Amino acid sequence: MTQMLGSLQRRMKTVKELQDIVDTMKTMASLNINTYEKVDTSLADYFGVIETAFCAVLRHYPLATLVEEKKVLSGQVGLVVFGSDQGMVGQFNDCLVAAVTKEAPLREAPCFVWCMGEKMGLKLQEAALPLTISRLERVPDVASKITRLMESLLLDIVAKQETDGLAELLVFYNQAQPGGRYKPTVEQLLPIDTAWLQALSKRPWPTNRLPEIIADEGNALARFTREYLFIALCRACVGSIISENNSRLLVMQQASKNIEQMLGELTVAYHEERQNLIDEELFDILFGYVAAETKTGCGKT
């Protein structure tokens, strides 16, 4: 009986320690979500500035030329995949592998991958898809590392455009959904969506001071396109990290409920076992007292 109580106490201690770990992970996930949501808001504001810059260029640069450029582009296909290096996120990476598996075979041109997340890279290799992993990086663990990594990634993309001919650039990431859920998302960054450009070309200028292009329009458009790619990649990376932390928070919340239930069951079992031990000791005392009284009574007779 005493051994059982000791075993229950050890199990309760272990479960409480696990609960502390889960609570810490919940707190970290919540802090990360708050931090990266602020980063995403800043990136969204800057993306609005890039859209305004495109509006200025499109006032001088004929959109029909962009459409023609889109038609003649040929070459390789680049895939940028943002996965997770951390655990406790459910099917986070598997969902993205399924999305890549669906999209990659549709491209006739050779596909190569820039993969953010070593675990994601391993899953893509295991899937035996018709693609080549050109670069494998760990997911940034702090917000300040995102811009440096995306700048380096953009240099690779520009190099591919200039040397191998980049026909298409797709980005894969999990987009946050309500309730801590996420949805695999595929966005085409290159060629730039002409419908988006068409809408920007018709957008009225926000002030009565019309913009002027100091450099030639083609050079300005190329620079803004690179900035657009940079911001789009940063937002995909940040969105992926937000989704990852949302998923981890959801998993930790469920784990916390399971731990509370387990701890409750262990507590009930401990109190029942302790009460049984007390009852057993009381019965021993009572039986001892009765035996002593009986023996004493027999001696008097």
Side-chain angles (χ1 to χ4, degrees), residues 1-52:
M1 190 74 70
T2 304
Q3 291 180 348
M4 179 64 72
L5 277 177
S7 176
L8 288 171
Q9 285 179 321
R10 288 191 294 272
R11 290 179 62 187
M12 290 171 64
K13 181 181 178 181
T14 301
V15 172
K16 288 180 180 178
E17 290 174 350
L18 182 60
Q19 188 177 43
D20 291 339
I21 294 173
V22 169
D23 288 342
T24 300
M25 294 184 69
K26 284 168 59 179
T27 301
M28 292 179 62
S30 298
L31 291 174
N32 285 336
I33 291 170
N34 183 57
T35 298
Y36 286 104
E37 282 181 343
K38 291 180 180 178
V39 174
D40 185 59
T41 299
S42 298
L43 290 173
D45 291 341
Y46 188 62
F47 187 76
V49 175
I50 298 302
E51 286 187 318
T52 303

Side-chain angles (χ1 to χ4, degrees), residues 77-81 100 104 111-115 131 169-172:
V77 177
L79 312 178
V80 182
V81 184
V100 175
C111 294
F112 60 92
V113 179
W114 289 288
C115 184
L131 48 81
L169 179 65
L170 303 175
V171 59
F172 296 76

Side-chain angles (χ1 to χ4, degrees), residues 27-46 142-144 146 174-182 234-247 249:
T27 301
M28 292 179 62
S30 298
L31 291 174
N32 285 336
I33 291 170
N34 183 57
T35 298
Y36 286 104
E37 282 181 343
K38 291 180 180 178
V39 174
D40 185 59
T41 299
S42 298
L43 290 173
D45 291 341
Y46 188 62
V142 292
S144 59
I146 293 177
N174 283 314
Q175 189 176 53
Q177 300 294 305
R181 307 293 178 180
Y182 54 81
C234 285
R235 294 191 72 185
C237 182
V238 171
S240 176
I241 295 174
I242 292 173
S243 299
E244 177 184 339
N245 281 280
N246 275 335
S247 178
L249 180 60

